[in-house]
Amino acid sequence: MAIRELRYLGDAVLRQKTDPVELFDDELGTLLDDLAETMYANMGVGLAAPQVGDSRRVTVVDVSEARDETEVLELINPVLVSRSGLIDSEEGCLSIPGVVESIERSAEVEIEYQDRNGDRHTVQGVDLLSRILQHELDHLEGILFIDHLGTLRRDMAVREFKIAMAENDLPVGPG
Ligand code: NI
């Protein structure tokens, strides 16, 4: 297992629509292990493959108290099958440090996905888990949470991000 380098707003890989996984091999397992390790190392509750520069339809989520590999939810080729209700709560993203904004999301979602062996499952997400699942599925479409903001708030968010990147001596990608 290894901690992979995070990609930040401005990096083109974050804007690509990901490719479905067809090969459920050891290399996919390594990607999943590394995603989890990178998420925990950065205190995240979810991490999508594009955030480490890999354009496959893969994400990991953990909203448990324990926050270790025993609780990680690995979602491969996830698809939203139903949604209901609305919640409005604060959200951030490891690829956009320095920015926290309230975003409207569905309160409940149902997601179909495959595990690392290719077996199919369904997960129901309510409140926090629902919000994170929608955030991560967005990543797999090349959508970032600030895209849900109006123009003014979005511009402000980008400025806050650039300040946070400069303060932490992190690279801001082109565009
Ligand atoms: Ni994110």
Side-chain angles (χ1 to χ4, degrees):
M1 282 179 47
I3 297 170
R4 299 201 188 183
E5 214 167 293
L6 285 177
R7 302 302 184 95
Y8 298 103
L9 176 64
D11 194 312
V13 72
L14 294 175
R15 291 309 192 176
Q16 275 170 26
K17 188 175 158 66
T18 52
D19 301 316
V21 170
E22 287 166 10
L23 205 57
F24 292 79
D25 59 0
D26 287 350
E27 198 271 330
L28 175 68
T30 302
L31 171 64
L32 286 159
D33 291 344
D34 289 356
L35 274 174
E37 191 171 355
T38 307
M39 172 178 71
Y40 293 125
N42 288 282
M43 311 292 174
V45 285
L47 193 65
Q51 295 182 274
V52 297
D54 191 305
S55 203
R56 275 177 286 181
R57 202 168 173 81
V58 172
T59 183
V60 297
V61 170
D62 185 356
V63 295
S64 71
E65 292 279 318
R67 302 200 43 71
D68 60 39
E69 308 79 69
T70 60
E71 298 288 340
V72 70
L73 182 58
E74 301 175 337
L75 301 114
I76 297 148
N77 300 331
V79 179
L80 179 79
V81 290
S82 72
R83 60 165 84 218
S84 63
L86 280 179
I87 42 168
D88 202 317
S89 53
E90 289 198 325
E91 204 161 310
C93 179
L94 291 179
S95 293
I96 317 177
V99 180
V100 176
E101 289 282 347
S102 257
I103 304 283
E104 200 173 79
R105 299 278 192 188
S106 299
E108 293 182 35
V109 292
E110 187 175 308
I111 309 275
E112 283 178 5
Y113 66 98
Q114 287 169 280
D115 63 23
R116 62 168 69 199
N117 302 312
D119 295 330
R120 292 180 187 282
H121 304 273
T122 301
V123 60
Q124 325 268 352
V126 179
D127 295 336
L128 176 64
L129 180 57
S130 174
R131 178 162 68 75
I132 293 163
L133 286 168
Q134 290 167 80
H135 179 113
E136 301 312 328
L137 261 71
D138 270 358
H139 271 301
L140 303 179
E141 303 295 330
I143 297 167
L144 300 172
F145 84 106
I146 58 169
D147 299 345
H148 296 286
L149 300 171
T151 314
L152 275 177
R153 278 171 70 208
R154 189 176 192 279
D155 288 350
M156 202 182 295
V158 172
R159 277 202 297 279
E160 287 167 354
F161 158 73
K162 285 181 175 163
I163 290 165
M165 293 297 274
E167 280 173 351
N168 294 297
D169 203 23
L170 293 165
V172 180

